[in-house]
Amino acid sequence: MSMTLQVQDFLDMEENLLIIYNPQWRILGYFGFLPVDYHDPAKTFKKASYPLCCFRACITAVMIIGQLFMVYVIGGLFVFRMMAPSAGMAGGSYNNMVLKVLEMLPYVMMAFRSLCVMVVLLAKRRHCEPLRAETIAFFRTCFHGFLPRTRQAQRWSLLAIVMCSVSFVLHFSWDILQLYEYAARIQYDMELDSGLIYPRISVRVYFILWAVFVSVPYFLSQQVYSWALISAAILSSTLKSLKEQIRKEYTAVIKCGKGHLPLQQLSDKVTTWQTAHMEMLRFCQSLEHFFSWILFFIYCCDFAILLGYTAGFVNHIHEEGWLRKNIAEFGYAVLIFASYGTVFAIPFVRVYERVS
């Protein structure tokens, strides 16, 4: 009977985790970047469809190869921009060669960011199961009872859905806007040569490759980022709850004296708090081990993207009418990529504040 209850409790925890991380795990799983059964507690896919596993592996391979090719293409255009004479340099000191080169940085870093994040996630596939097990242990220790756990899971699942939706709208709206602005600058001539020496590709082909092998992988990398942010938000909330419990009990003891609770009951509470705190530390360590390099690449690349847009702004701000024509594209881009490293990262800051 005890074993049956433990198994049922474990399945309940699996179901709660599936509810919380459902959008992120399913999207990453469908593209093959997570184990095929990671978002399926019953492991129905593993039992039913071996060909589906192979199909997802092929999708993953195509995505990685495509991203490598796009890094080469955009990197090639970046080098070409460096080596080509700077058109308009004689027009004024502001039209600087270095700044013109840095204008290409956002596009290079977008492709590089998504490639690095997805490769690191693939390299850490064997750590996915230990992280899920540690998350289950964390939930079991810090949220007692089926109903409290279910309520918390539903609460955090709403955050996961919101983050997935917001990242989708922000990224693809910006992507459509910047592609539209670029097409307008070349007067919608889709057969125009992109400028790459080898292979020679038209703007139309470049747009298609960008959409499939830069935009989609970047959105996938945002789901990995959202996974880390949601985990940090859960940890932050749990730390806050634990500190409030300790503070409340401490206030009651100070006010009522040692007779507030029997000594044994008070000792049990302290033991429970210690156990919960240790489980939080283990969970935090697991998150750090799994997401450290991923977050490193995300923050470095997003900062480089912002640097590139700043260089473009400084390089062209003196041109008459430029700000009026490009304020939407540049303003929206700066707002989005600045928010990724500031507003989106608030859960990490809260964890730090509540630990210290």
Side-chain angles (χ1 to χ4, degrees):
M1 186 68 178
S2 176
M3 180 62 71
T4 303
L5 290 174
Q6 288 179 3
V7 171
Q8 185 60 45
D9 185 55
F10 181 82
L11 291 176
D12 290 340
M13 290 306 308
E14 287 263 13
E15 189 64 34
N16 286 330
L17 288 184
L18 175 60
I19 292 173
I20 294 173
Y21 298 107
N22 186 43
Q24 287 72 31
W25 284 1
R26 284 193 180 276
I27 291 171
L28 294 170
Y30 288 151
F31 281 89
F33 288 99
L34 284 181
V36 70
D37 62 324
Y38 202 71
H39 60 281
D40 182 32
K43 301 184 179 0
T44 52
F45 286 116
K46 197 170 184 179
K47 290 178 181 178
S49 184
Y50 177 77
L52 183 60
C53 301
C54 298
F55 178 70
R56 288 183 180 177
C58 292
I59 292 178
T60 307
V62 169
M63 293 295 288
I64 294 296
I65 293 170
Q67 288 177 76
L68 285 168
F69 177 73
M70 285 306 293
V71 168
Y72 160 74
V73 169
I74 302 171
L77 293 174
F78 182 73
V79 172
F80 175 77
R81 187 74 173 264
M82 289 178 64
M83 298 177 66
S86 180
M89 264 185 77
S93 59
Y94 290 99
N95 209 347
N96 186 283
M97 177 61 180
V98 175
L99 295 178
K100 286 181 72 67
V101 170
L102 287 177
E103 283 184 58
M104 281 291 293
L105 202 57
Y107 310 103
V108 178
M109 287 296 106
M110 277 194 65
F112 187 69
R113 180 211 208 240
S114 56
L115 174 63
C116 290
V117 170
M118 303 322 294
V119 167
V120 172
L121 182 63
L122 273 179
K124 287 185 173 287
R125 274 173 67 100
R126 62 190 180 90
H127 299 291
C128 289
E129 200 60 43
L131 176 61
R132 182 167 66 171
E134 190 57 57
T135 308
I136 290 173
F138 166 75
F139 257 75
R140 186 187 295 115
T141 303
C142 298
F143 299 100
H144 301 286
F146 175 75
L147 286 177
R149 282 201 296 257
T150 304
R151 291 194 196 100
Q152 291 294 331
Q154 291 172 347
R155 173 189 170 190
W156 296 117
S157 68
L158 180 61
L159 175 63
I161 293 170
V162 169
M163 292 197 70
C164 182
S165 304
V166 168
S167 61
F168 180 88
V169 171
L170 286 179
H171 175 64
F172 285 107
S173 60
W174 170 84
D175 210 41
I176 292 170
L177 176 63
Q178 62 101 14
L179 289 177
Y180 172 79
E181 293 287 346
Y182 182 78
R185 284 196 289 270
I186 61 172
Q187 300 180 343
Y188 305 100
D189 184 4
M190 294 293 106
E191 302 307 320
L192 187 69
D193 189 82
S194 63
L196 189 67
I197 296 175
Y198 183 82
R200 309 294 294 189
I201 56 176
S202 65
V203 171
R204 185 190 306 278
V205 174
Y206 178 81
F207 277 13
I208 294 171
L209 291 173
W210 174 276
V212 177
F213 296 121
V214 177
S215 288
V216 172
Y218 191 92
F219 173 68
L220 294 178
S221 73
Q222 280 300 96
Q223 301 318 299
V224 182
Y225 189 34
S226 298
W227 181 5
L229 291 172
I230 295 163
S231 300
I234 295 171
L235 182 58
S236 170
S237 176
T238 311
L239 282 166
K240 180 183 177 182
S241 176
L242 179 62
K243 293 180 81 170
E244 286 176 353
Q245 289 177 38
I246 295 173
R247 188 181 298 112
K248 181 180 178 181
E249 197 62 46
Y250 176 77
T251 304
V253 169
I254 294 297
K255 187 180 294 185
C256 305
K258 293 183 179 179
H260 168 64
L261 281 176
L263 190 59
Q264 183 60 44
Q265 192 173 345
L266 190 59
S267 176
D268 291 343
K269 277 195 171 187
V270 172
T271 303
T272 302
W273 293 335
Q274 289 176 331
T275 304
H277 186 248
M278 287 303 299
E279 203 56 62
M280 291 176 199
L281 291 176
R282 290 194 191 96
F283 182 54
C284 185
Q285 187 178 25
S286 298
L287 294 177
E288 181 183 2
H289 178 69
F290 191 85
F291 290 108
S292 55
W293 278 105
I294 291 172
L295 295 176
F296 171 78
F297 284 118
I298 286 174
Y299 283 118
C300 287
C301 292
D302 285 349
F303 177 78
I305 290 170
L306 277 174
L307 180 65
Y309 276 109
T310 304
F313 181 82
V314 172
N315 200 37
H316 296 287
I317 187 62
H318 69 288
E319 297 175 10
E320 185 178 354
W322 180 88
L323 186 62
R324 176 174 46 83
K325 293 178 182 177
N326 296 276
I327 186 65
E329 179 186 357
F330 272 69
Y332 194 40
V334 169
L335 179 66
I336 290 174
F337 291 105
S339 68
Y340 289 159
T342 53
V343 178
F344 277 59
I346 287 176
F348 297 130
V349 178
R350 285 183 173 172
V351 169
Y352 177 79
E353 288 177 343
R354 287 166 183 173
V355 167
S356 57

